[in-house]
Amino acid sequence: MKRALTCLVILTLLCAIFVGSASPTIAAIAKTPFSRTNIPAQLKVTAAGLNVRSGPATYFTKVGVVYKNQIVDCIGKLGDWYIIHLNNDVVGVASGKYLQPYYPPTSQPAPQPTPQPAPETPAPGTGDTTGQIDPEAQKMLELINAERAKVGAQPLKMDMEVLKVAELKAQDMVNKGYFSHQSPTYGSPFDMLKQFGISYKSAGENLAGNSTVEKAHTALMNSEGHRKNILNTSYNYIGIGIVDSPKYGKIYVQMFIGK
């Protein structure tokens, strides 16, 4: 009942904005477009403290506060403001300047691929660990293996074919302006690995947007789901793609596989 009443109050305020009134200010806000499409299911707070209000402007009543790195559910969008649902069942509006889309890490076992006859020449996904590795990708691999060593997990080896797939995924995210495990071009990480002939028993993917390898690594280790991928003993190979991003500084894609 409390949740229903709270939602009703907030929705009533939002409806009042669109109905309009004699006030020129309210009439202007009434033109703010409302959207339920192309919005993330969850958002991450980037400000130290962000006020949640009853309408899409700073003069509306404050109904709550969210804090940095807090994850909140997103219901819709009013112009540049997101409509969010808080843990205490309060629904309010917060500025999109201090919120960014949040996508939980994905990791799942994959079915055993159909065995193929051994080719006479190397095929994609055969565990090729030779070739030139970008210094930043090498640094990230060293940080990952240092974390694995702390828990007694075997170090991961860089698979150059998986690395190429991770680089393609990172570039696709930059080119098409999305941050998601689901690519509009390649589908899921598991679909993408199969498209490029990568054989695996288990697989997972981590995504990060940050300015340096060290900051991206710290952020991933501070997230339970991403940390599980990094320390997962069922993985023995990795591919790391790093691409410059105008929004985040760099996009980091870690693709893990177990053979």
Side-chain angles (χ1 to χ4, degrees):
M1 178 61 75
K2 176 183 176 182
R3 177 177 177 177
L5 288 175
T6 305
C7 292
L8 179 60
V9 170
I10 299 299
L11 291 175
T12 301
L13 288 171
L14 293 175
C15 289
I17 293 171
F18 288 98
V19 169
S21 70
S23 168
T25 302
I26 297 299
I29 296 173
K31 298 178 182 179
T32 303
F34 170 75
S35 175
R36 287 184 181 174
T37 59
N38 298 322
I39 60 169
Q42 292 183 306
L43 298 164
K44 185 175 182 178
V45 181
T46 60
L50 177 60
N51 290 330
V52 181
R53 301 185 178 276
S54 60
T58 55
Y59 53 77
F60 279 93
T61 304
K62 184 172 74 173
V63 297
V65 180
V66 289
Y67 299 97
K68 190 170 185 178
N69 295 327
Q70 184 175 341
I71 307 303
V72 294
D73 294 330
C74 180
I75 299 173
K77 196 173 184 183
L78 285 167
D80 295 330
W81 293 64
Y82 284 106
I83 305 172
I84 60 176
H85 176 219
L86 306 184
N87 293 335
N88 58 355
D89 279 345
V90 169
V91 174
V93 186
S95 173
K97 294 180 181 179
Y98 309 104
L99 295 165
Q100 66 181 27
Y102 173 78
Y103 302 96
T106 180
S107 176
Q108 67 182 54
Q112 181 72 30
T114 304
Q116 299 292 328
E120 295 181 0
T121 56
T126 56
D128 179 14
T129 58
T130 62
Q132 293 294 323
I133 301 175
D134 179 85
E136 289 188 311
Q138 181 63 40
K139 177 62 177 177
M140 181 164 271
L141 176 60
E142 292 171 359
L143 292 172
I144 288 171
N145 282 336
E147 299 291 351
R148 291 174 67 88
K150 293 176 184 178
V151 297
Q154 292 296 311
L156 298 176
K157 295 179 181 179
M158 189 76 80
D159 186 308
M160 298 306 295
E161 297 300 328
V162 180
L163 180 149
K164 292 175 185 176
V165 175
E167 288 180 338
L168 286 173
K169 174 64 178 291
Q171 190 64 60
D172 188 56
M173 289 171 62
V174 172
N175 291 346
K176 298 193 174 178
Y178 69 94
F179 192 94
S180 173
H181 294 291
Q182 189 72 21
S183 163
T185 307
Y186 303 107
S188 74
F190 317 106
D191 295 333
M192 190 174 182
L193 287 167
K194 290 178 182 178
Q195 288 175 37
F196 287 90
I198 309 294
S199 300
Y200 59 90
K201 293 180 181 178
S202 59
E205 180 183 74
N206 282 349
L207 305 177
N210 220 310
S211 57
T212 69
V213 169
E214 291 79 5
K215 289 180 180 179
H217 176 74
T218 299
L220 291 169
M221 286 300 295
N222 287 336
S223 166
E224 181 179 358
H226 295 94
R227 184 171 62 253
K228 285 181 179 179
N229 273 344
I230 288 171
L231 303 179
N232 194 328
T233 56
S234 70
Y235 301 143
N236 46 18
Y237 291 94
I238 189 173
I240 300 173
I242 304 174
V243 174
D244 289 337
S245 164
K247 183 174 182 180
Y248 300 102
K250 292 180 184 292
I251 287 290
Y252 301 85
V253 176
Q254 299 173 344
M255 285 190 168
F256 305 84
I257 63 169
K259 296 185 179 183

